[in-house]
Amino acid sequence: MERNKPPTSNLDKIYQASGDAEMREAYDQWADEYDRDVEGNGYLTPTRIAEALASHVDDREMPLMDYGCGTGLSGVALKDAGFTTIDGADLSKKMLEAARETGVYRDLTLVEPGAPLSPSLRDYRAITATGVISRGAAPPSMYDKMLDIMQPGAMLAFSMNDLSLEDPDYAQLVPTSVENKRVKVRTQEHGPHLAKYGENSGSTVYVVERLG
């Protein structure tokens, strides 16, 4: 999507937002219509991530962090996949209010724009980041920041949409971390993302294990 193209939808506004503070404002404004908009565009990535992570986790009762949980669509998908102890975090207060209404989260945390990742993330053996490490969300540096804080053996399940995978700064993240022996790839699968949204119709779902 051209950065100078006028936004014509909430999705366009997100992809053209710059920085955490601008992103927070965009998602706060979108919160009331978010579920309708993304589900209307065939949003399948949350279910794909939840099922991919479940295929590598025996203990579905262990606490996991749904980072960038938004309105809770990802948490509902995790619950449907059998996970029972789900915490969430997001930078949008209005999104978190919607997530709380789903009833699937044990705890929810508001992330401040520009703040470092909480050391408490190290306590989780599994973290999901649905659509977080992507254009229209967090910068590529978020991937390494999450790996830095995770303990060896912990798993990160996340996605990158087609628009992000066209950007070398995003596309090289996983291959570089494998080459540097930081992670082992458990799942890497391309499939539908926003299946009805044309140019952004697919995403790759990853599950990576943090190595020591």
Side-chain angles (χ1 to χ4, degrees):
M1 182 176 300
E2 298 178 5
R3 296 287 296 183
N4 59 357
K5 180 181 177 182
T8 58
S9 70
N10 285 312
L11 284 166
D12 291 340
K13 292 175 184 177
I14 290 299
Y15 291 133
Q16 295 185 29
S18 175
D20 285 349
E22 189 173 325
M23 198 71 63
R24 168 182 273 187
E25 181 180 359
Y27 275 109
D28 276 344
Q29 292 175 354
W30 193 13
D32 291 340
E33 300 175 341
Y34 179 83
D35 288 6
R36 184 196 66 190
D37 285 354
V38 296
E39 291 182 322
N41 277 287
Y43 190 34
L44 300 176
T45 297
T47 296
R48 293 177 54 221
I49 286 179
E51 292 178 350
L53 179 61
S55 70
H56 299 294
V57 173
D58 293 327
D59 180 8
R60 307 288 174 81
E61 296 182 356
M62 72 174 187
L64 65 84
M65 168 55 72
D66 181 16
Y67 196 84
C69 64
T71 61
L73 292 176
S74 48
V76 171
L78 288 165
K79 181 180 179 181
D80 289 345
F83 294 100
T84 62
T85 312
I86 308 165
D87 294 333
D90 201 272
L91 57 75
S92 167
K93 181 178 180 180
K94 290 198 68 176
M95 290 273 185
L96 285 177
E97 290 171 357
R100 185 169 288 107
E101 292 179 2
T102 68
V104 304
Y105 292 98
R106 180 182 67 171
D107 187 41
L108 289 166
T109 301
L110 179 66
V111 177
E112 292 302 324
L117 293 179
S118 170
S120 66
L121 288 178
R122 184 173 175 81
D123 298 336
Y124 295 93
R125 301 290 295 178
I127 299 172
T128 60
T130 303
V132 171
I133 307 167
S134 289
R135 283 178 58 184
S141 58
M142 176 61 74
Y143 176 71
D144 286 319
K145 289 178 180 178
M146 297 189 88
L147 293 183
D148 287 343
I149 212 164
M150 291 167 58
Q151 59 180 297
M155 285 186 283
L156 173 63
F158 68 104
S159 62
M160 283 192 279
N161 58 32
D162 285 347
L163 290 175
S164 301
L165 292 169
E166 292 173 359
D167 183 337
D169 289 340
Y170 286 99
Q172 57 79 36
L173 291 174
V174 174
T176 298
S177 63
V178 171
E179 182 179 350
N180 293 338
K181 298 183 174 12
R182 298 196 76 196
V183 304
K184 174 182 179 181
V185 176
R186 294 291 201 94
T187 292
Q188 180 174 335
E189 183 179 22
H190 189 266
H193 171 50
L194 293 168
K196 301 177 183 178
Y197 193 63
E199 64 180 326
N200 188 30
S201 60
S203 66
T204 295
V205 165
Y206 303 88
V207 180
V208 299
E209 179 183 345
R210 178 72 164 91
L211 300 179

